[in-house]
Amino acid sequence: DTAVDLLRDAVRRIEDANTSEADLDWAGTSQERYERYLELQKNEGIDGYRTPFPTLDDATQGFHDSEFILIVARQGIGKTWLTNIFAHMNINSGLNVLYFTKEMPSKQVARRFDALQYRLNYQDLRKGTLDNISERNWLQGMQTDKPGKLTIVGEESGGVGHVAAKIERYKPDIVYVDGVYLMDDDQKAREGWQRLLNISRDMKKLAKKAGIPIVATVQFNRQADNTKGDSANISGGDIARDADVIL
């Protein structure tokens, strides 16, 4: 009985140690909140990472640490390009970006970032038909531009544990996962809906544990058209409960 009591007390103390970071002394942190308000005032109400879209920033106040953000659309609508555009702005803001691509090879994703960074026509870049001026600007840009860091993780298999390992290795400020529904489930669920739900729950926990935003893409089911849909139309709809923001 004594041993059980000691174990219970140890577990209680461990749980308290793991959750104490959420405890807040209201009176003792009043000056900190005022200083944060002044910073928010200076940044026009945006206290997270900005996007290229002022209307979106106004609605969300930017992407914040510990948030799990879903980008949802039907297949072929442009989810990947949107994450590329978001990440490109993060890079040029000096952030360290970790980008997981589950739908296309990493070299193709890198080429998209070349097009964005050096203002190249993407179709000409793919075909090798850039004009001389574009080629010269690209070469000069590579030598002079000093953007933030971008690490692209290719189509290798792995689940949320794999994402966590890469976060530990590269210490990013923000993470993108293009095609979260193609990831492996670390919990090895058999049913497709349960697999996606497990991935979503684990991804949300990872965002909170790592203290950084994680932006992931997922598809609408067949009941949603290309312009309308709500959280009930997300493939594996229960994952909407885990998201802080759904675009």
Side-chain angles (χ1 to χ4, degrees), residues 19 22-23 25 34 41 43 52 58 68 70 93 96 113 119 126 131 151 157 182 188 193 223:
T19 59
D23 300 340
D25 180 359
Y34 179 69
Q41 189 180 60
N43 292 325
D58 186 56
F68 180 43
L70 285 180
S93 298
N96 179 2
F113 281 101
R119 299 180 181 275
R126 287 189 62 188
D131 58 59
T151 303
S157 61
L182 297 176
K188 308 297 182 184
W193 66 270
Q223 281 68 47

Side-chain angles (χ1 to χ4, degrees), residues 100-219:
F100 290 83
T101 171
K102 295 293 184 179
E103 293 194 332
M104 63 176 59
S106 56
K107 290 182 178 179
Q108 289 187 21
V109 175
R111 185 165 56 195
R112 291 187 173 201
F113 281 101
D114 286 336
L116 290 167
Q117 180 67 23
Y118 306 112
R119 299 180 181 275
L120 306 174
N121 181 286
Y122 182 67
Q123 295 302 325
D124 289 340
L125 180 60
R126 287 189 62 188
K127 297 175 182 177
T129 57
L130 292 171
D131 58 59
N132 292 335
I133 295 177
S134 296
E135 288 186 17
R136 184 170 65 250
N137 291 340
W138 184 11
L139 183 60
Q140 291 176 348
M142 286 191 290
Q143 296 170 346
T144 59
D145 286 0
K146 301 296 181 182
K149 184 178 180 182
L150 169 66
T151 303
I152 303 172
V153 181
E155 298 174 286
E156 54 195 276
S157 61
V160 177
H162 174 69
V163 176
K166 295 292 185 180
I167 290 174
E168 180 65 25
R169 178 176 180 181
Y170 293 110
K171 304 294 190 297
D173 297 304
I174 187 169
V175 173
Y176 292 85
V177 182
D178 183 34
V180 69
Y181 48 90
L182 297 176
M183 293 176 61
D184 295 336
D185 174 20
D186 294 336
Q187 300 182 48
K188 308 297 182 184
R190 294 184 179 182
E191 299 292 336
W193 66 270
Q194 185 64 57
R195 180 183 64 83
L196 186 56
L197 184 59
N198 290 343
I199 294 170
S200 174
R201 295 274 164 84
D202 290 346
M203 197 70 78
K204 171 60 180 176
K205 292 177 183 177
L206 177 60
K208 293 184 67 175
K209 181 179 179 180
I212 57 177
I214 296 181
V215 185
T217 67
V218 69
Q219 292 186 356

